[in-house]
Amino acid sequence: MNDSKGAAAPQATFCPAHNRIYVLVAAILASSMGFIDGSVLSIATPAIRSNLGATLADAQWISNAYMLFLASLLLIGGAAGDRFGLRNVFAIGIVLFVVASLVSSLAPDPGFLIYARSVQGVGAAMMVPGSLAIIAKAYPREERGKAIGLWSAFSSLTTILGPVIGGFVLTVLGEWSWRLVFAINLPLGGIALALLLLRVPADQPEPGRRLDWIGGALITAALLLIALGLTGTGGNAPLPSQMLLYCGAGLIALLAFLWWEARSSAPMLPLHHFRRAAFSGAQGLTFALYFALAAISFFLPMTMIGGWGVTAAEASIVFLPLGILLTLLSSYAGKLADKVGPGPMITAGSAIVALAFALMGLFAPLQDPWLGVLPFTILMGLGMSAVVSPLSTAVMTSVEDRDTGLASGVNNAVARVAGLLAVALMGGVAAFVFERALGGFAELPIFFGMRPDQPLPADAEAARLAANNAAFAVIAYANAALALLSAVIAWFTQENTIGRRRRPA
């Protein structure tokens, strides 16, 4: 007689076994769009500025329009998948992302591109959390690890190769080819959408699930107002009075968001988790470290390509060690964190990243990507490799098992918000330092991170280069300090099995 109690039955999922491969391929393609868009855009930004005549504020908004809606709607996007069905929401996200990518590739001016990027961010907010969630829901527990491993491997490959391929395309085809960065999403998204709709059945939604639309609207308004205060409108930097007005209104909206979340019956951000020192510490160190990482990732390529005249291909190669080291070393860092706790690993890794950023600022006057940048991107890669996996462990272990998905989503959103504010704030700092460093040449049409249309006199060109390096050095030193702050937060809030043991509160 067969004893059904003696063996665990295979876990049922909404997707038949022979169709699961289509879920995996669709998730990989959708993730690839997001990773390519994020990693290549910083390399392409100097070409966009030159081709469209975009100001530094325009360039900031081309990045931030996307990050604004992705960061503020990410948690709602994940909850919407549960409420209306993962496949349906994931597919809608892909459609929005692809249509916005097509419009972006055809943008005639910076303003048009900024609006298209806003729609792309909304699509990404539904697509990004859905890519991994639909794999977890389609595959039974005993097969899920292998599927997620394949998804992670291909995602890492995309992250590594995307900027390199993009850099060489920009170098060979010229400035107009930045449009291909967005156009590549059309075939990738089209295939992913076809697989989802034709080969993957709809999963069962949770009709009782409530979405926090008010919270989403408040946090979007708060981030938008703060970003406006720090960056200004597309063409102009903000006046001090405008900065005070927008940032003040943004802080009021942020307080209203926190007030609402504390009283909502279905909050997108349950605030009670922040009572745990380990959880709030993980979010704090994430904000500080990813703020610093986003600032360097955005302004360093602009400094090299627009400032020094380095080709996009060379700039992409300089960043290659970061992706390679993350791929090769993250799993080992995760295993080591299991032995010593995530605290020491994150502390050491963040301190290494801080050192790398400080050295980038110190050696910027060399204007040499191979001697003044590459060694320090290798150092940055070593540091981030020690952080990424242990940070995931720290976030997951800082809450109860039933809340790990929420904790991961919150941490992802915090990292996106940090990137948004980094680009908004550091752009103003760069412009201020650059203008002051130009001295008597400040009246000339010379801008940070952008090569002039016409050759300058030798003394003006020397002043431009010195001002460019001074502006980047300030960014590098400021964000080195933030990375060091991240190390301090990690040491005092995260679990440490070396000597004294710290456990999540």
Side-chain angles (χ1 to χ4, degrees):
M1 183 177 68
N2 182 26
D3 184 2
S4 61
K5 296 180 181 180
Q11 184 187 22
T13 72
F14 77 93
C15 188
H18 62 278
N19 283 356
R20 288 172 192 154
I21 184 62
Y22 302 118
V23 173
L24 181 59
V25 173
I28 288 172
L29 290 174
S31 298
S32 297
M33 291 193 296
F35 284 121
I36 289 173
D37 189 83
S39 60
V40 182
L41 186 66
S42 60
I43 301 294
T45 294
I48 294 174
R49 290 185 66 183
S50 180
N51 188 244
L52 295 183
T55 65
L56 177 58
D58 288 328
Q60 291 171 267
W61 274 114
I62 289 168
S63 172
N64 280 349
Y66 174 82
M67 292 299 297
L68 169 66
F69 288 97
L70 174 56
S72 58
L73 300 180
L74 188 65
L75 294 177
I76 286 184
D82 296 329
R83 171 64 180 84
F84 301 107
L86 271 173
R87 191 202 68 163
N88 296 335
V89 173
F90 189 33
I92 292 171
I94 292 174
V95 170
L96 282 176
F97 194 91
V98 169
V99 171
S101 296
L102 174 61
V103 175
S104 296
S105 69
L106 301 174
D109 56 60
F112 199 88
L113 180 56
I114 290 167
Y115 286 120
R117 290 279 289 164
S118 300
V119 178
Q120 198 178 34
V122 176
M126 292 187 281
M127 186 179 73
V128 168
S131 62
L132 188 55
I134 197 170
I135 295 175
K137 195 168 185 178
Y139 280 81
R141 188 177 300 276
E142 61 272 13
E143 299 178 23
R144 196 175 298 160
K146 181 180 178 181
I148 292 176
L150 288 170
W151 173 86
S152 179
F154 277 99
S155 297
S156 298
L157 185 64
T158 302
T159 303
I160 293 172
L161 296 181
V164 176
I165 295 173
F168 275 91
V169 168
L170 286 163
T171 300
V172 173
L173 298 182
E175 292 174 345
W176 72 269
S177 61
W178 65 265
R179 300 177 185 275
L180 298 178
V181 172
F182 298 106
I184 189 63
N185 293 331
L186 274 64
L188 295 179
I191 295 171
L193 190 63
L195 292 176
L196 282 176
L197 298 182
L198 299 178
R199 295 292 185 177
V200 179
D203 56 308
Q204 189 67 32
E206 300 177 17
R209 186 71 175 262
R210 297 174 59 186
L211 301 182
D212 186 10
W213 294 113
I214 295 178
L218 287 171
I219 190 61
T220 302
L223 294 175
L224 173 60
L225 288 166
I226 292 171
L228 277 170
L230 296 175
T231 308
T233 57
N236 302 293
L239 298 172
S241 58
Q242 293 174 320
M243 183 180 297
L244 185 62
L245 176 63
Y246 282 125
C247 287
L251 290 176
I252 291 172
L254 180 60
L255 291 174
F257 167 73
L258 295 175
W259 177 87
W260 172 259
E261 293 303 291
R263 286 155 180 78
S264 174
S265 58
M268 62 183 288
L269 181 63
L271 298 179
H272 66 271
H273 289 302
F274 286 91
R275 297 171 187 162
R276 298 170 179 256
F279 181 82
S280 56
Q283 309 316 318
L285 72 90
T286 295
F287 184 89
L289 183 61
Y290 279 83
F291 184 107
L293 185 64
I296 296 297
S297 298
F298 185 81
F299 291 103
L300 179 56
M302 194 180 294
T303 298
M304 290 192 292
I305 299 171
W308 303 347
V310 171
T311 66
E314 291 173 317
S316 65
I317 292 174
V318 165
F319 276 91
L320 191 57
L322 176 61
I324 293 176
L325 290 170
L326 279 172
T327 302
L328 295 179
L329 301 180
S330 287
S331 62
Y332 296 102
K335 293 176 183 177
L336 187 56
D338 291 337
K339 296 180 180 179
V340 303
M345 296 297 297
I346 299 172
T347 298
S350 298
I352 292 172
V353 172
L355 176 62
F357 291 168
L359 291 173
M360 285 180 185
L362 182 64
F363 284 85
L366 288 181
Q367 298 175 186
D368 189 325
W370 311 116
L371 296 178
V373 180
L374 181 60
F376 311 128
T377 57
I378 294 174
L379 195 61
M380 177 174 67
L382 289 172
M384 289 303 300
S385 297
V387 169
V388 172
S389 183
L391 178 56
S392 297
T393 300
V395 170
M396 297 299 186
T397 56
S398 67
V399 296
E400 302 296 335
D401 289 347
R402 66 178 181 273
D403 293 323
T404 54
L406 174 66
S408 178
V410 170
N411 192 250
N412 197 345
V414 167
R416 308 282 183 171
V417 171
L420 166 71
L421 297 180
V423 173
L425 179 59
M426 289 293 109
V429 172
F432 177 82
V433 174
F434 182 82
E435 184 177 345
R436 295 301 182 275
L438 277 177
F441 299 100
E443 299 300 323
L444 295 176
I446 304 174
F447 308 100
F448 170 72
M450 189 173 183
R451 295 186 67 79
D453 294 332
Q454 301 295 329
L456 297 173
D459 53 350
E461 176 64 10
R464 183 189 75 85
L465 289 172
N468 198 82
N469 295 334
F472 175 72
V474 170
I475 292 175
Y477 294 144
N479 288 286
L482 277 177
L484 194 59
L485 174 63
S486 178
V488 173
I489 295 172
W491 182 256
F492 285 104
T493 65
Q494 302 305 309
E495 186 180 19
N496 179 1
T497 60
I498 301 177
R500 186 163 63 94
R501 183 179 181 86
R502 298 184 183 90
R503 294 184 179 275

